[in-house]
Amino acid sequence: MSVLKPEKYFRRVSDVDISADLLDKGIRAVLLDIDNTIRSRETHLVPEDVAAWMTEAQQRGLKLCLLSNNWHANAYELGKELGVPVVAKACKPLPFGYIAALAKLGAKARETVLIGDILFTDVLGANLAGLRGYLVEPLATKDLSHTLALREVQKVILGDLQPQGAAGSPAAEVPVEDDAPATDLQPENEVSPSDSQLQDEGSCSNPRAQERDRA
């Protein structure tokens, strides 16, 4: 199998069947990307259906860990809110973050899946590390400029492959409206990051981000 080919492709995390797609396949641990996989870059919210899916997964015995290239402290804050461990600054697709996440969970690669929205970091890294890699559509169209460029290449690679998920699944981009309930995990006084801040986020080679983290 190509290292850029996801084992499965879904509309969103909540379309992953906990029984058929995970437990029945011998999967006991799930690594989850953060930005645009479980939390929208547009609204900075974790949609209610995604939060509910994570809760059910844990109740059914799955171990969860957030694995992100995010360089900001809010990745750890999110982990506290959701009650799951976090490996940030992961530098996906390099293997170090995956190895650290497996160690946190006490899990083996063959019984672990990574769920993320980008082929060139999430799925590639999972395949190289010996994990299963599940791809989901991004929760929002807003993203880092280099990620948007990668998505155009990703579309070419995926070709006619269509994501699994009911036609009635929530829309890919999460709106901020009263009739679309979501779990707000952004601190009340936190200012939403500007586009320039987003450009600094998630780069493994960004010294400014590292200095800000150490400050």
Side-chain angles (χ1 to χ4, degrees):
M1 180 176 67
S2 168
V3 292
L4 284 175
K5 182 178 180 180
E7 183 169 321
K8 287 182 175 289
Y9 181 27
F10 300 92
R11 293 191 185 281
R12 56 201 286 128
V13 170
S14 56
D15 285 318
V16 178
D17 188 296
I18 293 173
S19 293
D21 297 316
L22 300 176
L23 296 174
D24 291 352
K25 291 183 174 294
I27 292 173
R28 298 294 177 264
V30 180
L31 311 185
L32 293 155
D33 174 54
I34 293 178
D35 293 313
N36 269 343
T37 294
I38 66 166
R39 181 178 63 187
S40 168
R41 275 196 183 276
E42 183 69 39
T43 65
H44 311 295
L45 304 177
V46 174
E48 189 175 71
D49 64 295
V50 174
W53 183 94
M54 294 178 66
T55 297
E56 181 183 353
Q58 290 179 295
Q59 290 173 344
R60 297 184 63 181
L62 286 165
K63 300 176 182 179
L64 305 185
C65 179
L66 304 185
L67 179 64
S68 176
N69 284 352
N70 192 309
W71 284 85
H72 296 297
N74 61 21
Y76 298 99
E77 293 168 1
L78 179 63
K80 289 180 181 178
E81 291 285 349
L82 294 173
V84 297
V86 178
V87 174
K89 309 175 186 179
C91 290
K92 295 176 289 184
L94 298 178
F96 313 113
Y98 296 86
I99 294 171
L102 292 175
K104 279 182 177 288
L105 298 180
K108 298 178 181 178
R110 65 175 180 270
E111 63 182 17
T112 305
V113 65
L114 182 286
I115 302 177
D117 63 300
I118 306 176
L119 281 179
F120 300 95
T121 53
D122 303 314
V123 173
L124 174 59
N127 287 334
L128 291 176
L131 283 64
R132 298 169 186 262
Y134 289 178
L135 182 69
V136 293
E137 290 190 320
L139 288 171
T141 56
K142 182 176 182 178
D143 216 321
L144 304 175
S145 58
H146 68 270
T147 301
L148 293 175
L150 287 176
R151 290 203 194 285
E152 293 303 310
V153 181
Q154 180 169 303
K155 290 178 183 177
V156 175
I157 294 174
L158 292 174
D160 296 330
L161 184 64
Q162 295 298 310
Q164 299 178 43
S169 294
E173 188 166 351
V174 180
V176 188
E177 295 178 4
D178 291 339
D179 61 351
T183 303
D184 188 347
L185 296 170
Q186 185 177 357
E188 187 173 315
N189 296 324
E190 183 178 336
V191 178
S192 298
S194 65
D195 289 339
S196 60
Q197 287 173 314
L198 283 173
Q199 293 295 333
D200 287 340
E201 187 175 324
S203 171
C204 293
S205 60
N206 193 317
R208 291 174 54 200
Q210 297 179 49
E211 287 180 17
R212 184 170 60 250
D213 234 29
R214 289 195 296 267

